[in-house]
Amino acid sequence: MKKSKVFAMISKAAAVFAASLAFTITALAADGQISFSDPSATSGSEVNVTMKISADEGTKLADATVTLTYPQDKLEFVSGTDSSGGAGTIRVHGVTNGGGSSTLEYNLKFNTLAAGTSTIGIDTYEVYDEDGAAINVTHLGTSTVTVNSAEQLSQDADLATLEVSPGTLEPAFDPSVTSYT
């Protein structure tokens, strides 16, 4: 084979390769975020935390799996949308609220066990669009649950007034007096 034919074949192959690179389209994953509500409650009551997974407008979400952690000494997991867990960990999996749209919403119920501030955070996550492409999550939020103490009873047990009937009180009422006749 002559050099010119070899050169022509190599040139054609290089041109085809260069053309294929020029027309290659790379599909980039959509961006998304995971955000939470920051509720308040009274110790001993139930509190609801909302987690929302959202993607770029026009992106339809199809599946999500998120593992959350929480302080089990302050919160007790009761139930949630597509959720199971306990002992400080919750697994959220599915698309019950919002599948086929750009937002998935999950409601998580907890019993409050102690006053203070508790953080519910994301341990792991996977979010996919309807084509099975992974969503590029650019914001991972947390939930801050503020639990207030139940109303505190007064430590002051002093009498404010004292009346007797029939009769009169001797000496006249005084909160510092502890004996009357």
Side-chain angles (χ1 to χ4, degrees):
M1 199 182 268
K2 294 185 177 182
K3 284 185 177 182
S4 61
K5 284 187 178 181
V6 171
F7 181 73
M9 287 176 57
I10 292 174
S11 295
K12 285 181 184 178
V16 169
F17 179 71
S20 70
L21 289 177
F23 293 106
T24 300
I25 298 174
T26 303
L28 299 175
D31 287 339
Q33 64 179 7
I34 303 175
S35 58
F36 294 85
S37 63
D38 293 322
S40 295
T42 302
S43 182
S45 66
E46 196 171 83
V47 66
N48 186 64
V49 174
T50 302
M51 178 179 75
K52 289 186 179 181
I53 302 173
S54 57
D56 293 340
E57 190 173 326
T59 300
K60 293 182 179 177
L61 297 174
D63 191 25
T65 301
V66 181
T67 304
L68 304 172
T69 59
Y70 63 92
Q72 63 183 352
D73 60 326
K74 293 191 176 191
L75 299 172
E76 176 185 50
F77 179 66
V78 176
S79 65
T81 312
D82 297 331
S83 305
S84 61
T89 303
I90 302 168
R91 181 177 183 261
V92 180
H93 177 74
V95 292
T96 297
N97 288 347
S101 71
S102 63
T103 302
L104 303 176
E105 183 173 315
Y106 302 89
N107 295 300
L108 308 167
K109 289 185 182 180
F110 295 86
N111 285 327
T112 58
L113 303 176
T117 302
S118 300
T119 300
I120 300 171
I122 298 169
D123 186 41
T124 63
Y125 65 91
E126 294 178 13
V127 181
Y128 297 95
D129 68 13
E130 67 182 352
D131 296 324
I135 299 296
N136 178 36
V137 178
T138 59
H139 172 76
L140 296 174
T142 60
S143 176
T144 301
V145 179
T146 304
V147 179
N148 300 308
S149 297
E151 186 175 322
Q152 295 293 322
L153 300 176
S154 173
Q155 297 300 314
D156 180 6
D158 291 341
L159 288 175
T161 63
L162 180 62
E163 294 180 19
V164 293
S165 178
T168 60
L169 193 59
E170 287 294 327
F173 174 74
D174 181 336
S176 64
V177 175
T178 59
S179 179
Y180 291 91
T181 58

